[in-house]
Amino acid sequence: KAGVTQTPRYLIKTRGQQVTLSCSPISGHRSVSWYQQTPGQGLQFLFEYFSETQRNKGNFPGRFSGRQFSNSRSEMNVSTLELGDSALYLCASSLGWMTNTEAFFGQGTRLTVV
Amino acid sequence: AQTVTQSQPEMSVQEAETVTLSCTYDTSESDYYLFWYKQPPSRQMILVIRQEAYKQQNATENRFSVNFQKAAKSFSLKISDSQLGDAAMYFCAYRPRDIFGTGTRLKVLA
């Protein structure tokens, strides 16, 4: 069974640009969550999608947005990039929303903003 | 609002010894779940152990066990017979809300 796939693995962008990250969940998983990981900040929850609807949102500015498609694949977009957006972005998929089910993580996309 | 706190940024343990990682949380919800995840240097996060809040019995998975103190809102992870492969970042997490702690880096000394 294929795991969670995130593309691209590495990305370098210039301040002010926008970026789109992609996440393909495990087959059959309908919930996709996104996290930002920076040293010292741990994992910060961005948002969770279930059945194409955003069910939960973290405390991030509106420059961070996402969507989920009918096949459960999800994209995350960050507009007007800032240096502070440099981080590892992790995607996780699970069977359900707001449940005790295990979240399976991808390897992440390392975004560097210069 | 729910919070998860890991007060130990880094811990070290000798191979074959036991180590306990601390996690405290704050919530007013009665129904929730707690997890410990491990993130090895290769970065893929994997589940170590989970605990349902309604269960009084502490969860155990081989060498990994938790000490769940619901009244104290404490959820510590005990790793017995530590192995070199246990070296990683460990995150405590709360569900629902998907709240993670800042992580504890565990070093295993040969």
Side-chain angles (χ1 to χ4, degrees):
Chain A
K1 191 171 179 181
V4 178
T5 304
Q6 289 189 247
T7 56
R9 290 289 311 279
Y10 302 92
L11 208 49
I12 300 176
K13 288 287 188 179
T14 303
R15 196 170 43 181
Q17 286 187 312
Q18 75 164 18
V19 67
T20 299
L21 312 182
S22 179
C23 173
S24 293
I26 290 173
S27 177
H29 285 192
R30 296 169 64 191
S31 175
V32 174
S33 296
W34 288 90
Y35 304 86
Q36 181 193 68
Q37 184 177 14
T38 53
Q41 290 290 318
L43 270 74
Q44 302 288 314
F45 172 69
L46 282 153
F47 26 65
E48 178 176 14
Y49 286 87
F50 182 80
S51 293
E52 301 178 65
T53 301
Q54 188 181 91
R55 301 289 181 168
N56 205 1
K57 189 177 189 304
N59 190 26
F60 275 81
R63 300 185 296 106
F64 292 82
S65 63
R67 58 178 175 168
Q68 187 180 33
F69 302 95
S70 58
N71 61 358
S72 294
R73 189 178 72 85
S74 178
E75 286 182 349
M76 189 191 94
N77 184 276
V78 187
S79 63
T80 320
L81 284 166
E82 300 177 0
L83 296 179
D85 297 332
S86 294
L88 180 68
Y89 289 88
L90 292 171
C91 161
S93 78
S94 61
L95 283 170
W97 169 61
M98 290 182 69
T99 69
N100 69 335
T101 56
E102 173 186 354
F104 292 82
F105 285 80
Q107 289 200 291
T109 295
R110 168 71 65 187
L111 172 65
T112 302
V113 182
V114 297
Chain B
Q2 295 77 19
T3 59
V4 174
T5 302
Q6 292 179 252
S7 59
Q8 307 153 316
E10 192 169 291
M11 294 280 285
S12 296
V13 63
Q14 287 290 143
E15 201 175 0
E17 297 291 306
T18 296
V19 65
T20 299
L21 309 184
S22 300
C23 173
T24 58
Y25 61 95
D26 191 21
T27 184
S28 56
E29 296 176 323
S30 58
D31 190 19
Y32 54 89
Y33 310 94
L34 297 165
F35 302 81
W36 278 99
Y37 284 91
K38 170 185 177 182
Q39 187 181 41
S42 65
R43 296 198 180 118
Q44 192 134 26
M45 194 96 69
I46 55 174
L47 177 70
V48 174
I49 198 166
R50 88 187 81 194
Q51 175 81 42
E52 289 87 349
Y54 63 84
K55 288 187 178 178
Q56 292 188 335
Q57 187 173 8
N58 290 325
T60 300
E61 288 286 341
N62 301 313
R63 298 182 295 106
F64 298 87
S65 62
V66 300
N67 183 3
F68 175 48
Q69 302 287 327
K70 191 172 183 178
K73 295 190 171 83
S74 170
F75 181 61
S76 59
L77 174 69
K78 186 171 88 171
I79 306 174
S80 304
D81 186 26
S82 296
Q83 300 174 0
L84 295 177
D86 294 333
M89 281 289 287
Y90 286 82
F91 292 94
C92 176
Y94 173 100
R95 245 195 169 196
R97 316 296 170 204
D98 281 335
I99 301 168
F100 282 71
T102 51
T104 296
R105 182 174 302 282
L106 178 65
K107 294 184 176 180
V108 181
L109 309 174

